[in-house]
Each structure stands twice: as C-alpha cells, then as structure tokens.
Amino acid sequence: MFKISVLLGSYKMKSTALTETMIRDHGKILKLLIRLEKSTGQEKSRMMKAFHDFLWEIEKHFFTEEKAIFTTYEPEENTEGHAMIPELIKEHNEIFNQLKIMKKNIKKDEDFDFKEFKNLLMKHKNFEDEKVYPKLDQELD
C-alpha cells in the first residue's frame, strides 16, 4: 500500500493508506461545507469565516493530491489510475472557479447556487473515494 505522511501547517498526519487518509480529509471538508451552507443568509462576517475555513481545507486537500501524490506518481506504463489524473485536475479547477464566484457573491450579498456547487463537490468526492484512491492504493507501493 502507498503510505503518505504529509506535513500540513503545524500538524503532522499519521502515515496511513492513501484511501483512508484522503477519505478522512473528505469528512472534514464535508463538515465545513455543511457549516458554510448553514451560514448562508447570516451576517457577512460569519459567512466569510465559514467560507475561508472551507476554502483552506479544500486548498490543503487539493495541494496534497496534486503536489504530494499526483506529481510523485510516475508509473512506467500508462495505468488506469494515472489516466484519471488529468480529469481530477480539471475538476479541481472547476471547483476553484465556483469558489471564486461564491466568494464574490458573498461579498456582494448576492445569491449563489449552493445546491449546484454541492452536487459538483459530491460527484468529485464520490469518484475519488470509490474509484481513484482505491486504484492508486493498488498501483502504488
């Protein structure tokens, strides 16, 4: 199994299988997403705090995937896991673009299609949890 030990801020994560670590990360992100969703319509400062907490966790997660995992994953032949990486990076960019729009809308007190964003994020999360991470765990040592 592929073991990772990632230093994020001042917290050192325990080395565990890639799938377990990243799914645990997804759990943190989902809790912050729920908090962000609940903050909708509240004071702008509370919404921005929830937004920035959520954004920070997403940024750390995507950094871990793109820099610590994807860039070190160089199989000698084109594998199924490796073939998924460009699509995942494209989805990361789409999620970041939606977050930029959300931030602007929060600042301007304008509505944002939170349901559409949540659906996009959940589709991405489920694909990673069910297909990507297990495949990478199989292919990496």
Side-chain angles (χ1 to χ4, degrees), residues 72-118:
T72 60
Y73 177 42
E74 297 178 357
E76 291 182 18
E77 55 189 64
N78 193 10
T79 63
E80 187 179 347
H82 193 260
M84 294 179 199
I85 292 173
E87 182 62 28
L88 291 172
I89 292 172
K90 180 180 169 188
E91 289 178 8
H92 288 178
N93 289 331
E94 187 176 345
I95 290 166
F96 274 133
N97 287 336
Q98 290 297 310
L99 286 168
K100 286 179 188 177
I101 293 168
M102 185 187 299
K103 183 177 182 178
K104 285 180 187 177
N105 288 16
I106 291 171
K107 286 182 173 184
K108 294 179 179 181
D109 289 322
E110 294 178 357
D111 289 334
F112 177 79
D113 190 345
F114 199 85
K115 184 177 180 180
E116 182 180 324
F117 176 75
K118 192 174 179 180

Side-chain angles (χ1 to χ4, degrees), residues 32-51 54 102 105-106 109-115 117-118:
L32 291 169
L33 178 66
I34 291 166
R35 189 173 133 220
L36 176 59
E37 187 174 23
K38 287 180 179 179
S39 77
T40 303
Q42 295 181 357
E43 296 175 11
K44 189 184 294 189
S45 62
R46 178 173 262 164
M47 288 175 61
M48 286 305 294
K49 169 78 169 110
F51 175 82
F54 177 76
M102 185 187 299
N105 288 16
I106 291 171
D109 289 322
E110 294 178 357
D111 289 334
F112 177 79
D113 190 345
F114 199 85
K115 184 177 180 180
F117 176 75
K118 192 174 179 180

Side-chain angles (χ1 to χ4, degrees), residues 1-136:
M1 274 192 190
F2 180 66
K3 303 285 185 184
I4 61 172
S5 180
V6 181
L7 186 62
L8 298 174
S10 61
Y11 301 99
K12 186 167 181 175
M13 295 174 60
K14 181 180 173 188
S15 290
T16 59
L18 178 118
T19 300
E20 294 169 7
T21 301
M22 299 312 280
I23 288 176
R24 189 170 38 251
D25 239 18
H26 282 170
K28 289 183 213 173
I29 290 167
L30 289 178
K31 285 179 185 176
L32 291 169
L33 178 66
I34 291 166
R35 189 173 133 220
L36 176 59
E37 187 174 23
K38 287 180 179 179
S39 77
T40 303
Q42 295 181 357
E43 296 175 11
K44 189 184 294 189
S45 62
R46 178 173 262 164
M47 288 175 61
M48 286 305 294
K49 169 78 169 110
F51 175 82
H52 285 291
D53 291 348
F54 177 76
L55 180 62
W56 174 242
E57 205 60 45
I58 285 277
E59 288 174 336
K60 289 189 308 184
H61 180 77
F62 286 176
F63 177 84
T64 300
E65 287 180 341
E66 293 181 12
K67 304 300 182 216
I69 299 170
F70 298 166
T71 58
T72 60
Y73 177 42
E74 297 178 357
E76 291 182 18
E77 55 189 64
N78 193 10
T79 63
E80 187 179 347
H82 193 260
M84 294 179 199
I85 292 173
E87 182 62 28
L88 291 172
I89 292 172
K90 180 180 169 188
E91 289 178 8
H92 288 178
N93 289 331
E94 187 176 345
I95 290 166
F96 274 133
N97 287 336
Q98 290 297 310
L99 286 168
K100 286 179 188 177
I101 293 168
M102 185 187 299
K103 183 177 182 178
K104 285 180 187 177
N105 288 16
I106 291 171
K107 286 182 173 184
K108 294 179 179 181
D109 289 322
E110 294 178 357
D111 289 334
F112 177 79
D113 190 345
F114 199 85
K115 184 177 180 180
E116 182 180 324
F117 176 75
K118 192 174 179 180
N119 288 339
L120 171 67
L121 195 64
M122 293 306 295
K123 180 182 170 200
H124 178 76
K125 174 210 162 301
N126 292 338
F127 179 64
E128 287 184 337
D129 290 353
E130 296 167 12
K131 304 281 186 201
V132 177
Y133 301 145
K135 183 55 70 179
L136 292 177

